[in-house]
């Protein structure tokens, strides 16, 4: 009996595996079509400077509207694209589009608005990365210091020496570097003193319960103190409530992003949002 059940279990796993594999294959094919047909769109989420209340930047976030599947979350297709290498053409499209938009935004008389772009590990580690950034800045006419590249801890830890050199080269261009999802990797803190970065973005998992859980609060306060002493800017992600915002302002945090201020939105909506903000300042 046990044997039979064992075989059934095995069969069940195999079916499950087959389904997962075929789902991946079909998603990969769909992704290929998306690249060719440009089914992607960029959304933009405002980043707020607390003390002035101004929008000082936006983060570009990719959206995929598949003709039959509907909306596919980047959390679902970016990791797959990273595995298949499709992340490269996708990233090129994101960078080109984001820089073009940034150039346009900064010509509207709404003040300085930086464009934060997520960089995937494969993209960062490719030999031509620096040159591709240089090219996209030239083609768009965007000032380098209006572009901020968001990298995760993992990317920077993989081959620290090489990563540091690559970051220095980017900084030399004038581009800003932010460490995304700070606190979720398993890296040592000592790298922080070696990496030429401008900003850390505290992951939203620490913010969810920051008002009620003294352990989250302790971590956030510790990071803020450390960052100040290391001369790094801090942006807090995932601020959803007035209470979270009030608490974080009290902790002298300066930069914020989250649903409390604005959700990611298409360009037209962003333009109205920015104009509206301008009228209220
Ligand atoms: P991320 O870079 O950490 O982006 C922040 C994510 O948090 C976004 O999810 C955003 O919509 C969400 N978010 C912002 N504020 C709040 C909030 O207050 N509450 C909650 N619950 N969520 C909030 P999204 O757009 O689904 O993107 C997920 C991840 O996919 C991104 O995380 C990033 O790692 C990746 N991604 C998105 N666009 C790109 C891209 O163009 N290139 C690459 N390589 N990765 C991308
Ligand atoms: Mg990001
Ligand atoms: Mg993040
Ligand atoms: Mg994140």
């Amino acid at each position: 009996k046990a044997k039979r059940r064992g075989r059934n279990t095995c069969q069940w796993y195999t079916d499950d595996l087959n389904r997962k594999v075929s789902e991946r294959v079909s998603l990969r094919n769909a992704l290929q079509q998306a690249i060719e047909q440009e089914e992607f769109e960029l959304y933009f989420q405002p980043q707020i400077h607390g003390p002035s209340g101004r929008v000082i930047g936006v983060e570009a976030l990719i959206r995929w509207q598949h003709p039959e599947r509907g909306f596919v979350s980047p959390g679902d297709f970016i990791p797959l694209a990273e595995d298949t290498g499709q992340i490269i053409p996708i990233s090129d499209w994101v960078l080109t589009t984001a820089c073009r938009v940034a150039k346009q935004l900064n010509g509207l008389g709404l003040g300085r608005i930086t464009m934060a772009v997520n960089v995937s590990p494969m993209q960062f580690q490719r030999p031509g990365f620096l040159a591709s950034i240089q090219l996209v800045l030239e083609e768009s006419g965007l000032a380098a210091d209006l572009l901020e590249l968001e990298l995760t801890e993992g990317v920077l830890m993989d081959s620290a020496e090489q990563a540091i050199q690559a970051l220095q080269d980017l900084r030399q261009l004038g581009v800003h570097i932010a460490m995304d999802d700070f606190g979720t990797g398993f890296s040592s803190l000592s790298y922080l003193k070696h990496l030429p970065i401008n900003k850390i973005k505290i992951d939203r998992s620490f913010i969810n319960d920051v008002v009620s859980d003294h352990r989250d609060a302790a971590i956030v306060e510790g990071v803020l103190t450390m960052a100040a002493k290391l001369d790094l800017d801090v942006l807090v992600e995932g601020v959803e409530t007035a209470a979270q915002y009030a608490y974080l302002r009290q902790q002298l945090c300066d930069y914020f992003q989250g649903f409390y201020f604005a959700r990611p939105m298409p360009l037209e909506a962003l333009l109205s949002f920015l104009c509206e903000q301008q009228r209220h300042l």
Side-chain angles (χ1 to χ4, degrees):
K1 228 188 209 158
K3 202 170 166 190
R4 182 141 131 243
R5 191 169 40 184
R7 202 184 303 137
N8 286 343
T9 308
C10 188
Q11 183 62 49
W12 187 81
Y13 278 128
T14 311
D15 288 349
D16 194 43
L17 191 65
N18 282 337
R19 200 164 42 231
K20 277 187 183 135
V21 169
S22 75
E23 167 57 19
R24 270 176 70 91
V25 169
S26 99
L27 193 59
R28 190 186 60 201
N29 293 339
L31 210 44
Q32 197 52 43
Q33 186 187 312
I35 293 166
E36 285 154 19
Q37 320 264 315
E38 300 216 356
E39 289 167 5
F40 300 116
E41 189 180 354
L42 279 188
Y43 272 37
F44 303 93
Q45 187 177 30
Q47 299 179 325
I48 279 78
H49 178 241
S52 64
R54 279 204 61 234
V55 176
I56 45 84
V58 296
E59 178 176 3
L61 294 159
I62 196 169
R63 295 291 178 261
W64 177 18
Q65 197 66 43
H66 183 273
E68 285 113 44
R69 292 161 184 261
F71 172 74
V72 188
S73 160
D76 290 333
F77 73 85
I78 292 286
L80 175 71
E82 180 74 26
D83 287 348
T84 60
Q86 289 166 312
I87 191 70
I88 298 299
I90 295 174
S91 303
D92 286 344
W93 178 83
V94 169
L95 255 178
T96 308
T97 310
C99 287
R100 230 179 258 157
V101 168
K103 174 71 183 174
Q104 186 190 345
L105 285 180
N106 280 277
L108 297 176
L110 296 168
R112 197 187 133 81
I113 300 168
T114 57
M115 177 63 68
V117 176
N118 292 284
V119 174
S120 85
M122 180 186 267
Q123 189 187 2
F124 180 71
Q125 282 150 8
R126 248 183 16 145
F129 183 61
L130 181 73
S132 73
I133 296 294
Q134 231 163 343
L135 188 65
V136 79
L137 289 172
E138 262 166 45
E139 281 178 352
S140 62
L142 183 69
D145 67 354
L146 291 173
L147 178 62
E148 182 168 87
L149 300 177
E150 294 195 2
L151 298 156
T152 52
E153 287 170 80
V155 181
L156 302 175
M157 290 310 295
D158 259 7
S159 56
E161 298 281 288
Q162 255 173 294
I164 290 170
Q165 187 55 54
L167 293 181
Q168 269 160 358
D169 294 343
L170 287 166
R171 289 291 303 278
Q172 203 73 44
L173 282 184
V175 169
H176 286 229
I177 311 286
M179 186 175 297
D180 204 357
D181 304 340
F182 184 78
T184 58
F186 293 96
S187 43
S188 110
L189 281 179
S190 70
Y191 69 98
L192 267 187
K193 73 177 186 198
H194 298 297
L195 290 176
I197 59 174
N198 305 87
K199 182 188 281 176
I200 55 186
K201 298 186 73 176
I202 301 183
D203 192 69
R204 70 165 188 266
S205 57
F206 298 104
I207 306 308
N208 270 337
D209 301 323
V210 78
V211 177
S212 56
D213 189 332
H214 71 277
R215 293 165 301 183
D216 284 326
I219 292 169
V220 169
E221 287 167 32
V223 172
L224 285 168
T225 306
M226 180 185 68
K229 296 197 170 169
L230 292 172
D231 214 14
L232 292 169
D233 285 337
V234 177
L235 179 146
V236 178
E237 308 187 297
V239 179
E240 293 185 355
T241 68
Q244 288 168 347
Y245 180 53
Y247 163 78
L248 291 161
R249 286 284 290 130
Q250 196 187 315
Q251 299 306 319
L252 303 179
C253 183
D254 281 342
Y255 300 102
F256 303 90
Q257 189 179 339
F259 295 171
Y260 176 62
F261 306 98
R263 288 180 179 256
M265 56 186 104
L267 181 58
E268 310 82 77
L270 176 71
L271 290 172
S272 326
F273 184 86
L274 292 173
C275 291
E276 196 60 23
Q277 278 260 309
Q278 181 87 344
R279 290 203 297 131
H280 290 289
L281 282 178

